[in-house]
Amino acid sequence: MKFPVFDLHCDTALALLGEDLKQTASLKQNNCHIDLDRASTLGGYAQCFACFTTTAGKGPKPVEVFEREIDTILREMERNSQQIALAYTPQEIAQNQEKGLMSGILTIEGPAGFGFDPELLEDLHRLGFRITTLGWNEKNPLTGSHKTGGGLTDLGKTYVKEAQRLGMIVDVSHISDEGFWDIMEITQAPVIASHSNSRSVCNVSRNLTDDMFLAICKTGGVAGINLCPDFLGVNPNLDTVCDHVFHFLTLAPTGKHIALGGDLDGIGSLPEGFTGVQDYEKLAERLLERGLSEQQVRDIFWNNAMGVMQRCCT
């Protein structure tokens, strides 16, 4: 059975670029984890394309990386307009699906590319950005990370409030534990962890504690299951991925707060049995084999992410 796939996070925009930021691959067909030809074999497809920037490490300035990622992913959607269209709202995602088109949604992973400036969020929202993290693995003017610790700054609180005012979903992936709880104290809208697993199943700081997951549920948000082996557990395979789903189900049995956030093209390896976007079908089959109903799989694969979009981005 084919299920539509709504994936909350990938790094394909950056993967299409070389070290000199010149485009080296096409979104239609490539050797990355995601391309449109393979995605077209699914029962429908909506992909959040992250534009990633960080102040950590050497290389081009974050603003140059950010601008090139935006240009590349928008150009590739335009070039492949018979297969995919940019979507600003959940209504447009649904309309694209009815037309047989895939949907692309712009998201921010790390606001370094625009100087962590909340005043620029309105322009980015107008361009199409609908989800934003507050950072990546380093401490920044908004917050600490899961690696550094440290909560939200005053500027970080302003950033959260402005994003939610605009209808941009706040994403807690990569944030510190302290920053997470600071967001929970001020949030006025559903919050997501676009690509974060269960810390109870795999005890790493990038994953969510049970209390964190339940707090996300309380806001009406979702956690997107990440396929990075480091965040899955020992000898990661499709069953290991399922283990995170089933643990979250023990905490929130309705299954309405679990989604997909594969981190495809942002990770160096994948769990055994998964080689690219087309293999979401294999994950669906394994979840069914382990006892989930078709409706539960459809919720995890599509409906739950759409529900958050409907609550935040209409």
Side-chain angles (χ1 to χ4, degrees):
M1 171 172 288
K2 291 182 180 291
F3 292 92
V5 169
F6 193 142
D7 185 308
L8 289 167
H9 184 86
C10 78
D11 286 288
T12 308
L14 184 59
L16 297 178
L17 302 175
E19 291 185 2
D20 59 359
L21 297 184
K22 293 182 179 179
Q23 188 172 345
T24 58
S26 163
L27 184 60
K28 179 176 176 55
Q29 192 175 64
N30 57 53
N31 293 319
C32 302
H33 295 155
I34 290 173
D35 66 32
L36 297 180
D37 285 356
R38 282 175 287 159
S40 67
T41 67
L42 302 169
Y45 186 53
Q47 180 63 60
C48 292
F49 289 99
C51 292
F52 164 77
T53 54
T54 176
T55 55
K58 299 179 181 179
K61 294 179 180 179
V63 64
E64 296 174 4
V65 178
F66 190 58
E67 290 175 351
R68 189 58 60 89
E69 287 174 314
I70 295 170
D71 289 346
T72 299
I73 203 66
L74 291 178
R75 179 170 60 247
E76 282 299 295
M77 282 194 275
E78 180 65 27
R79 285 176 175 172
N80 296 284
S81 60
Q82 298 303 308
Q83 290 180 286
I84 190 169
L86 180 66
Y88 293 84
T89 66
Q91 291 88 348
E92 290 180 348
I93 296 171
Q95 289 166 4
N96 288 341
Q97 190 181 28
E98 290 173 1
K99 296 175 184 176
L101 291 172
M102 296 176 268
S103 291
I105 303 100
L106 298 178
T107 74
I108 297 162
E109 183 177 32
F114 52 98
F116 307 96
D117 188 350
E119 293 186 3
L120 296 180
L121 284 173
E122 189 163 3
D123 290 339
L124 293 169
H125 182 267
R126 190 177 300 113
L127 188 61
F129 284 90
R130 291 299 180 266
I131 299 174
T132 180
T133 69
L134 271 72
W136 189 56
N137 290 338
E138 75 281 11
K139 190 173 184 179
N140 67 45
L142 304 179
T143 184
S145 77
H146 72 104
K147 287 191 171 183
T148 68
L152 259 63
T153 64
D154 288 342
L155 186 65
K157 294 174 183 177
T158 299
Y159 189 98
V160 169
K161 292 175 182 176
E162 177 64 4
Q164 292 186 336
R165 182 189 73 81
L166 293 166
M168 193 179 290
I169 301 168
V170 172
D171 178 359
V172 297
S173 291
H174 287 283
I175 204 168
S176 63
D177 288 6
E178 302 97 316
F180 176 94
W181 291 112
D182 287 344
I183 288 175
M184 290 301 136
E185 287 185 2
I186 63 173
T187 185
Q188 298 295 312
V191 169
I192 69 169
S194 67
H195 55 305
S196 297
N197 296 333
S198 166
R199 204 178 295 183
S200 289
V201 177
C202 181
N203 187 19
V204 294
S205 61
R206 266 287 284 111
N207 287 341
L208 301 166
T209 68
D210 290 355
D211 285 344
M212 287 175 171
F213 176 70
L214 288 170
I216 288 172
C217 296
K218 190 174 181 180
T219 71
V222 298
I225 298 296
N226 191 325
L227 295 172
C228 178
D230 290 343
F231 309 147
L232 288 172
V234 179
N235 300 321
N237 54 32
L238 292 178
D239 276 310
T240 320
V241 179
C242 293
D243 290 342
H244 288 268
V245 172
F246 278 91
H247 181 76
F248 282 149
L249 284 171
T250 67
L251 301 173
T254 65
K256 299 297 184 182
H257 302 285
I258 309 167
L260 302 174
D263 209 359
L264 299 179
D265 289 322
I267 51 183
S269 61
L270 290 165
E272 182 182 352
F274 200 107
T275 61
V277 65
Q278 72 282 357
D279 287 332
Y280 271 126
E281 284 190 359
K282 294 181 181 179
L283 178 59
E285 290 170 4
R286 192 69 192 110
L287 288 167
L288 291 170
E289 290 168 353
R290 287 187 52 170
L292 290 194
S293 68
E294 291 180 7
Q295 184 59 54
Q296 286 174 309
V297 173
R298 189 172 297 276
D299 286 345
I300 292 168
F301 272 52
W302 185 267
N303 293 336
N304 295 342
M306 277 289 283
V308 175
M309 291 284 289
Q310 288 165 346
R311 291 188 288 275
C312 295
C313 303
T314 53

